[in-house]
Amino acid sequence: MDLELKGKIALVSGGSQGLGFASALQLAKEGAEVILLSRSPNNLQAAAQKIHEATGKEAVTIPIDVTHPDEIQNALQQALEQFGGIDILLANAGGPPFGTFLELTDDDFYYAFELNFMSTIRLIRGVIDSMKARKGGRIGIVVSQSAKEPIPGLLLSNSIRPGIVGLAKTLSGELANNQILVNCFAPGRIQTTRSTALDQANAQKQGIPLQELQHKSTQPIPLGRYGDPEEFGKVVTFYLSFANTYVTGQTIVIDGGKGQTLL
């Protein structure tokens, strides 16, 4: 299948590692030109090198902190000036801190709101005019399985992610006439640095070894294992491709069958 990504310009925030990098790599493999945003210049450089080795493409890297509006604006301006437009946006940011209600402060909630919710709004706002001018576009937002089912110990994610899903659903209707498709991606247990950190925190709380905790965590997953970031990236790449012409306003769950919700 031709995903119609050759020559398309894809902007990926949180693109230097984990799920963002896995998605950017697959987009590049299918022919897209990728722009990676991340806080760490070193991680960005390493990610760009991996993409070059795998595809021969030169990924553009822009170090930014997505909790800072001016940095988002400057990064978007740089990307638009260099490429003339953006066809694809994957809005992705690191997960907010772990914690229960009594452990979290007002500052924690404000930080999570800026990190995950407002960064998404600002990135989308910055690419819409370009996508309209190019007669279409694809917007994806990485959320979490917590958008469907609350996860113990992740109150901030459980609170913020459903709001992002509501935003995406509404936007999908508002932008449909412009042929801009908007979808969310909800990963379950994917083997990333963040999932390992969450497992370590839970193992410590339970007083058991990490390996035991991870073994227990795979039991409710019908496929019997954690997912690989590449598997996530392949799903994202299809829905962000121009081969996808009719799926919008959806939250695609990538969890090995673990979730028990019907919708």
Side-chain angles (χ1 to χ4, degrees):
M1 179 188 296
D2 180 4
L3 297 185
E4 301 180 33
L5 284 169
K6 291 181 175 61
K8 300 297 186 184
I9 311 303
L11 180 71
V12 180
S13 64
S16 68
Q17 58 185 347
L19 301 181
F21 171 73
S23 302
L25 177 59
Q26 293 302 319
L27 287 163
K29 284 183 176 180
E30 294 295 335
E33 305 298 327
V34 296
I35 306 161
L36 308 178
L37 309 181
S38 174
R39 284 181 297 183
S40 169
N42 290 338
N43 288 346
L44 281 171
Q45 184 177 2
Q49 181 62 31
K50 291 175 184 176
I51 288 174
H52 178 70
E53 291 171 356
T55 69
K57 289 183 170 293
E58 301 293 339
V60 172
T61 62
I62 307 176
I64 73 164
D65 183 335
V66 294
T67 65
H68 297 164
D70 57 331
E71 294 189 24
I72 291 179
Q73 183 176 354
N74 291 338
L76 288 167
Q77 182 177 349
Q78 181 177 332
L80 290 168
E81 287 177 354
Q82 182 163 349
F83 289 98
I86 301 294
D87 301 293
I88 297 163
L89 168 67
L90 181 63
N92 172 53
F98 313 134
T100 61
F101 185 78
L102 294 179
E103 295 170 337
L104 298 167
T105 66
D106 283 4
D107 286 342
D108 292 325
F109 279 93
Y110 283 122
Y111 175 74
F113 184 67
E114 286 288 335
L115 175 67
N116 296 114
F117 196 87
M118 289 307 303
S119 69
T120 298
I121 288 176
R122 290 164 182 149
L123 286 165
I124 294 173
R125 186 184 290 140
V127 301
I128 284 178
D129 285 346
S130 174
M131 290 182 178
K132 287 181 177 179
R134 293 160 87 89
K135 309 301 182 185
R138 302 291 181 269
I139 295 173
I141 309 166
V142 179
V143 286
S144 163
Q145 198 170 34
S146 64
K148 293 280 189 177
E149 296 180 89
I151 299 173
L154 290 182
L155 178 63
L156 293 174
S157 183
N158 297 341
S159 302
I160 299 295
R161 306 293 196 183
I164 295 172
V165 171
L167 168 71
K169 185 66 173 180
T170 305
L171 272 177
S172 69
E174 293 182 359
L175 299 177
N177 285 341
N178 300 108
Q179 302 304 309
I180 299 172
L181 278 54
V182 185
N183 290 294
C184 292
F185 305 103
R189 290 283 185 167
I190 311 292
Q191 193 68 62
T192 64
T193 302
R194 178 168 169 81
S195 72
T196 300
L198 177 60
D199 285 344
Q200 287 174 333
N202 286 332
Q204 185 174 5
K205 282 185 177 181
Q206 297 178 35
I208 61 175
L210 174 62
Q211 292 78 6
E212 182 180 342
L213 185 283
Q214 290 180 327
H215 177 72
K216 288 171 59 178
S217 297
T218 62
Q219 301 310 300
I221 303 174
L223 288 181
R225 61 179 177 83
Y226 284 14
D228 186 275
E230 181 180 5
E231 295 175 298
F232 178 88
K234 288 179 177 179
V235 174
V236 168
T237 296
F238 170 74
Y239 285 103
L240 291 183
S241 79
F242 287 76
N244 170 30
T245 57
Y246 205 61
V247 179
T248 190
Q250 304 305 307
T251 298
I252 294 98
V253 179
I254 308 158
D255 69 349
K258 179 180 182 294
Q260 297 300 305
T261 62
L262 296 177
L263 299 174

